Amino acid sequence: ELRGHRADAMAVVATPDGRQLVSGDWGGTCRIWDAGAGDVVTLRVPSAATMVVRSGRFVYDPAGAAIIGGCSVSQVNVWALRDPTAPARQAACGRLASSLARTGDGRLLLLGLDSGVLAVMDARSFEIGDTLALHAGPIHGVARHPDGRRLATAGEDGRLLVRELATDGSLGRATGAADSVGGALRDLEFAPDGAQLAGAGADSCVYLWDWPLTAPPRALRGHGGAVLDVCFDPTGPRLASTGVDGWVRVWSLPEGRPAAAREVGPHNCGTIAWSGDGQRIAVAGIDGAVRLLQADSLRELVGLRGHIARVVALAFVADDSLLVSSSRDGTVRVWAAPPAAPQGSGSEPAQRR
């Protein structure tokens, strides 16, 4: 258990080499932890603005030389890590951001702003380049296609928009759009092969678009309320989702057929993460419990208890041997993540509804 935050710990991420963890809280503090020893370096926003990690994530450049994140009520903060013991705050973008992503080469940061504007920031100079008003309301999801040349945005207005992204960071022409779905889109993610795009609908549907956008999306139905998170299997054609109804669902792709489902309770199901080997799914929610599930059956491998408030971010690290969670109780916890059981080992069947 890593203690030190005095406010809700809203996000956590591992450095590219897996040696450090970065966490951010609602009270304005970012902390860098040694993943093994628990040693900590504290970063604080030197302004009156309180740092709020609204996007639930930080972003690293590929070399681990900078942290880009800490979306605040007035700015996105950037710290350089040339000296890991004394990170230097390099820049701040004076915008209210709801989502962020980076390009594959790490040169550009894509900011989805609460104003409905998409902004492109240079990750080396930390200067804002192109900005473009796209949505009527906050942009909740920004996803870069794996080819690096296009990006998709979605937001409170329920629209999905696609634009070209040039290598110099300029936003090109619109290359696709989808009609508004039945409610806000809260999350957006491309499949690892770029063949499909998934969105978490506030109207209880998981939306699945084939790429490019040549047809209306499939509406995957099953959740009994708003969908909270979606996550693709990094190794194969599957998609997982969580909802306010307390169910975890796995869908077989490309058709989106139900593959497995398990009820973990309405207070236990929110954020979700898929291990890099595709064998395990972690899920957590309001009650603070973290559950590690076998991906094929959704059998519970282990329940991890210790948080006393909502868990808001999960990440597998260290070659999937560890699971990191951050919570509104102000703590970040590092758990051993046991491997999935071999197939045919007597795992219980997934619950279905």
Side-chain angles (χ1 to χ4, degrees):
E1 177 180 333
L2 307 180
R3 289 189 174 272
H5 286 292
R6 293 182 174 86
D8 301 352
M10 298 297 293
V12 64
V13 70
T15 56
D17 61 11
R19 295 178 181 177
Q20 292 178 309
L21 305 172
V22 179
S23 57
D25 69 31
W26 199 266
T29 300
C30 171
R31 294 178 182 273
I32 303 176
W33 311 83
D34 184 288
D39 297 332
V40 62
V41 174
T42 301
L43 312 179
R44 180 167 288 277
V45 181
S47 71
T50 299
M51 182 170 69
V52 179
V53 187
R54 299 172 59 86
S55 66
R57 72 183 70 177
F58 292 95
V59 175
Y60 274 91
D61 72 4
I67 305 169
I68 306 169
C71 299
S72 73
V73 294
S74 67
Q75 57 198 8
V76 174
N77 300 286
V78 180
W79 292 272
L81 297 181
R82 286 183 290 270
D83 179 357
T85 64
R89 185 168 173 269
Q90 292 286 101
C93 165
R95 309 294 179 92
L96 177 56
S98 293
S99 53
L100 76 147
R102 66 167 174 81
T103 56
D105 59 9
R107 292 177 53 247
L108 302 172
L109 182 69
L110 310 170
L111 307 177
L113 307 183
D114 269 15
S115 61
V117 169
L118 178 70
V120 180
M121 187 172 82
D122 188 297
R124 301 296 188 267
S125 67
F126 312 120
E127 295 180 352
I128 293 293
D130 272 4
T131 60
L132 192 62
L134 295 178
H135 291 270
I139 298 176
H140 294 309
V142 177
R144 180 187 59 86
H145 191 272
D147 68 11
R149 300 192 303 269
R150 288 162 293 180
L151 61 92
T153 60
E156 191 70 22
D157 59 6
R159 301 177 68 209
L160 173 67
L161 302 176
V162 180
R163 299 197 78 86
E164 291 179 338
L165 180 65
T167 55
D168 64 358
S170 60
L171 298 172
R173 64 185 178 91
T175 60
D179 293 335
S180 297
V181 297
L185 287 169
R186 297 293 187 181
D187 191 25
L188 200 62
E189 185 171 338
F190 274 106
D193 63 3
Q196 292 186 300
L197 177 65
D203 62 350
S204 79
C205 292
V206 175
Y207 288 97
L208 189 65
W209 289 268
D210 291 326
W211 188 263
L213 305 180
T214 57
R218 298 178 182 87
L220 310 185
R221 303 181 187 279
H223 285 290
V227 181
L228 298 175
D229 203 1
V230 292
C231 186
F232 281 98
D233 179 352
T235 66
R238 293 183 294 179
L239 174 71
S241 60
T242 60
V244 296
D245 59 357
W247 283 71
V248 182
R249 296 184 178 275
V250 175
W251 313 86
S252 177
L253 303 177
E255 295 84 3
R257 294 191 303 266
R262 184 183 187 93
E263 186 178 21
V264 296
H267 302 298
N268 309 332
C269 192
T271 186
I272 190 170
W274 210 311
S275 64
D277 60 12
Q279 297 183 13
R280 291 156 294 166
I281 292 173
V283 63
I286 296 173
D287 71 342
V290 179
R291 289 172 171 80
L292 192 63
L293 310 177
Q294 185 152 324
D296 57 357
S297 66
L298 295 184
R299 180 178 72 92
E300 185 170 319
L301 297 171
V302 64
L304 306 172
R305 295 189 176 274
H307 289 300
I308 59 174
R310 181 174 185 167
V311 175
V312 294
L314 295 167
F316 284 92
V317 300
D319 296 325
D320 298 332
S321 63
L322 300 176
L323 178 67
V324 184
S325 59
S326 65
S327 168
R328 287 185 173 177
D329 63 10
T331 66
V332 175
R333 290 178 177 265
V334 182
W335 316 87
Q343 290 188 356
S345 61
S347 61
E348 64 176 326
Q351 300 180 49
R352 294 183 179 275
R353 183 181 70 173

